[in-house]
Amino acid sequence: MVGVADDTDGPVVHLVTADERARHYPDCGTRARRSKGRRVTRPRDLSVGGRRPRLVWAKRRWRCDELACRRRSFTESVPPRKRLTTRLRAAAGAAVADQGRTVVQAARDYALSWPVVAAAFTSHARAVLPAQPEPVQALDIDEIRRGQPRWIPDEATGIWQTAVDRWHVDFVDLSGKQGLLGQRRSAGSP
């Protein structure tokens, strides 16, 4: 961290990378020695005291001196390609998994898009759930029609036929130990 300034919208935190691993090329692993300058990014983070800090991260771009390296330059990033901090992603995923919020509500609460929150929930769930469910004693299969079917006329006979009939199928452990085991959505024709 380089410094913090207070703004009307919240604190502004200026950062530079101090981790030596950020200087190593992702492809060849060589430690970079020559810089190509800096690039500023602004990843989003959790609110602090009801105010969202603005992070200003001055990342260095590096040149590779290794002749066999496919990439001639890269920008330091820990972790790579993230516009949100790990803390913000973890909090959004935990809000759905542990606090009973819907994906849409957590997205509103953290000012994120619902696909980002859904991916954060999936990552959170993978970390805490077993890879495979236990054997089930009693399985329940619930089929629910999603919306109305769509119909089109058959040009040869003039009879209306179903074009799309959307269904949602849930697989649930009736013993109550594992709950929802899986879901399947279909939007096909009969």
Side-chain angles (χ1 to χ4, degrees):
M1 182 167 57
V2 174
V4 178
D6 199 13
D7 194 22
T8 56
D9 298 333
V12 179
V13 181
H14 295 274
L15 305 164
V16 294
T17 305
D19 190 345
E20 276 297 312
R21 293 174 294 171
R23 290 182 72 163
H24 291 265
Y25 275 81
D27 292 347
C28 66
T30 305
R31 184 178 182 276
R33 291 180 184 87
R34 296 187 303 155
S35 176
K36 287 178 69 174
R38 294 193 181 268
R39 181 172 182 218
V40 175
T41 61
R42 292 172 175 79
R44 293 183 13 207
D45 199 5
L46 283 173
S47 295
V48 177
R51 298 168 58 191
R52 185 177 298 272
R54 288 184 301 163
L55 304 180
V56 180
W57 182 14
K59 303 190 300 184
R60 285 182 284 190
R61 291 182 46 88
W62 296 101
R63 295 179 194 266
C64 186
D65 294 328
E66 183 68 35
L67 296 176
C69 186
R70 291 180 293 161
R71 264 163 66 174
R72 302 307 304 157
S73 69
F74 79 104
T75 304
E76 60 189 11
S77 59
V78 181
R81 295 181 183 80
K82 301 292 184 191
R83 295 182 185 173
L84 309 175
T85 62
T86 305
R87 288 187 300 254
L88 180 55
R89 283 184 191 276
V96 177
D98 302 333
Q99 299 170 9
R101 295 187 211 174
T102 64
V103 171
V104 173
Q105 184 60 48
R108 286 184 191 134
D109 293 346
Y110 290 102
L112 302 170
S113 67
W114 72 263
V116 168
V117 175
F121 167 67
T122 300
S123 296
H124 183 86
R126 280 192 183 126
V128 298
L129 292 176
Q132 293 293 320
E134 296 175 16
V136 177
Q137 300 298 320
L139 179 68
D140 181 33
I141 301 173
D142 293 328
E143 298 174 321
I144 302 166
R145 177 176 264 153
R146 296 173 38 224
Q148 297 294 320
R150 296 190 185 184
W151 301 85
I152 58 170
D154 185 338
E155 294 180 11
T157 63
I159 299 173
W160 287 86
Q161 295 185 357
T162 309
V164 176
D165 198 7
R166 297 177 298 184
W167 289 85
H168 183 98
V169 181
D170 292 338
F171 301 93
V172 180
D173 180 6
L174 282 181
S175 66
K177 295 179 183 175
Q178 300 182 81
L180 181 65
L181 298 171
Q183 296 178 326
R184 174 78 173 132
R185 294 184 179 140
S186 66
S189 55

